[in-house]
Structures are given as C-alpha cells and as structure tokens.
C-alpha cells in the first residue's frame, strides 16, 4: 500500500510539471505517512520522527534540501546522501510547506500548489504557496526549522489539516 501511495504520487506529479528531487521524493514519502493516518491506520508522528532522525544524522555535512534539487547532476558528495536529503528531509520540507501555507491543508498541495507549479514553475509556486519572497527564503526558514528540537518539529504536524 505504501509503495502504491508513493508511486501514485509520482504519477500525479509528472502529470503536472517538473519539480526538484527533494520535492518529488519528499511529497511522495510524506503522503506515505499522511494518507494512512486519514484512514486511522497509523499515526504520522512515529514515521515522521524516524525521517527526522535520519535527516539529522547528516547535519554535520552542511548539506540541505537546497543541494538536492537535481539528483542527476548532484556532485558525488551530495548524491551519497540522496535518501536523507530527498526522502527524509524532503518529507519534512513537505510538511513545513503545508504548515507555512495559508490553509495548512495537505489537500492544498494537490489543489493549489501543483496548479501554481504548472502555471508559474516550481520556484515561484513554492514562494507564493508558503507566502515567502523566494525559494531561498523558504530554504532559510526550513533550515531554521530543522534546528528545533524533535518535539517542537513534531508539533508542526498537529497543525496540519486534511
């Protein structure tokens, strides 16, 4: 089921527009945690805690999702952390995106964000969706979020809506 959710998310993404690697994989992984929660099959906190721990394991590298925009052209020192940056940090970047959006609604990714991507491209769409000036401002805000305690980070999930 989880693999189906993940891959179906990619099918949807590819039908809309190109997005960076961290966003493609992160959105798909986040949906693996979120959609089963909607059906009360599991709580997203445990899964997201594991993703955060993995993302924190590479803090001393100085790398972030900004380094994982394109896996195909990423330098070897970045590519070796593909899972931690694209999948694990990307899942949290997705949760952070939704939290920073005006609705805090996960379905707004599908209904608002992706139509913006199709119209404006992912960089402008990201900035508009989260109410920031640029993707760089988003990256800075997300980096600050990543420095919070895991407890504070998990609280973000409580503010998300269907």
């Amino acid at each position: 089921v989880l693999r189906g959710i993940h891959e179906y998310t990619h099918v949807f993404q590819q039908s809309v527009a190109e997005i960076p690697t961290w966003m493609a994989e992160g959105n798909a992984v986040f949906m693996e945690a979120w959609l089963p929660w909607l059906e009360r099959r599991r709580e997203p906190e445990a899964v997201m805690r594991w993703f955060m721990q993995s993302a924190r394991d590479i803090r001393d590298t100085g790398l972030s999702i900004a380094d994982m925009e394109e896996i195909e052209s990423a330098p070897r020192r970045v590519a070796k952390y593909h899972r931690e940056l694209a999948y694990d940090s990307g899942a949290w970047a997705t949760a952070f995106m939704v939290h920073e959006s005006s609705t805090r609604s996960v379905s707004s990714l599908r209904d608002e964000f992706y139509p913006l991507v199709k119209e404006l491209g992912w960089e402008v769409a990201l900035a508009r969706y989260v109410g920031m000036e640029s993707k760089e401002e988003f990256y800075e805000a997300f980096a600050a979020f990543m420095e919070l305690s895991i407890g504070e980070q998990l609280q973000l999930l409580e503010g998300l809506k269907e």
Side-chain angles (χ1 to χ4, degrees):
V1 170
L2 297 180
R3 176 64 64 136
I5 291 168
H6 185 102
E7 296 307 328
Y8 183 76
T9 301
H10 288 319
V11 170
F12 172 76
Q13 291 166 336
Q14 291 173 357
S15 74
V16 177
E18 289 192 31
I19 55 176
T21 302
W22 70 261
M23 189 179 291
E25 297 302 346
N27 284 190
V29 168
F30 176 78
M31 289 303 168
E32 288 178 34
W34 181 258
L35 292 177
W37 176 79
L38 292 178
E39 294 191 8
R40 306 297 183 240
R41 289 185 172 194
R42 69 179 188 177
E43 294 295 320
E45 288 85 1
V47 177
M48 294 299 284
R49 180 183 292 274
W50 186 84
F51 295 150
M52 182 55 75
Q53 189 57 55
S54 176
R56 285 171 168 251
D57 286 346
I58 63 162
R59 283 195 294 191
D60 63 341
T61 66
L63 298 174
S64 74
I65 60 170
D67 299 299
M68 188 48 66
E69 287 187 0
E70 186 59 55
I71 184 59
E72 285 79 14
S73 61
R76 182 172 291 165
R77 76 175 202 80
V78 174
K80 80 181 212 178
Y81 298 109
H82 179 233
R83 182 183 57 81
E84 295 89 345
L85 292 168
Y87 292 77
D88 303 331
S89 296
W92 272 102
T94 298
F96 186 75
M97 283 173 61
V98 173
H99 184 268
E100 294 300 305
S101 74
S102 62
T103 64
R104 291 192 175 172
S105 165
V106 175
S107 62
S108 73
L109 276 174
R110 178 194 63 227
D111 300 338
E112 297 173 24
F113 175 70
Y114 278 102
L116 283 175
V117 171
K118 190 171 191 167
E119 178 185 345
L120 305 170
W122 77 267
E123 293 168 326
V124 174
L126 173 63
R128 188 173 291 177
Y129 181 71
V130 298
M132 297 181 188
E133 292 295 318
S134 64
K135 75 173 183 178
E136 290 80 16
E137 184 179 351
F138 174 80
Y139 286 156
E140 288 174 20
F142 182 65
F145 169 77
M146 292 296 285
E147 293 301 318
L148 298 174
S149 71
I150 290 180
E152 291 170 306
Q153 292 161 333
L154 288 169
Q155 286 177 344
L156 176 140
L157 298 174
E158 295 169 13
L160 303 184
K161 304 177 215 169
E162 192 175 322

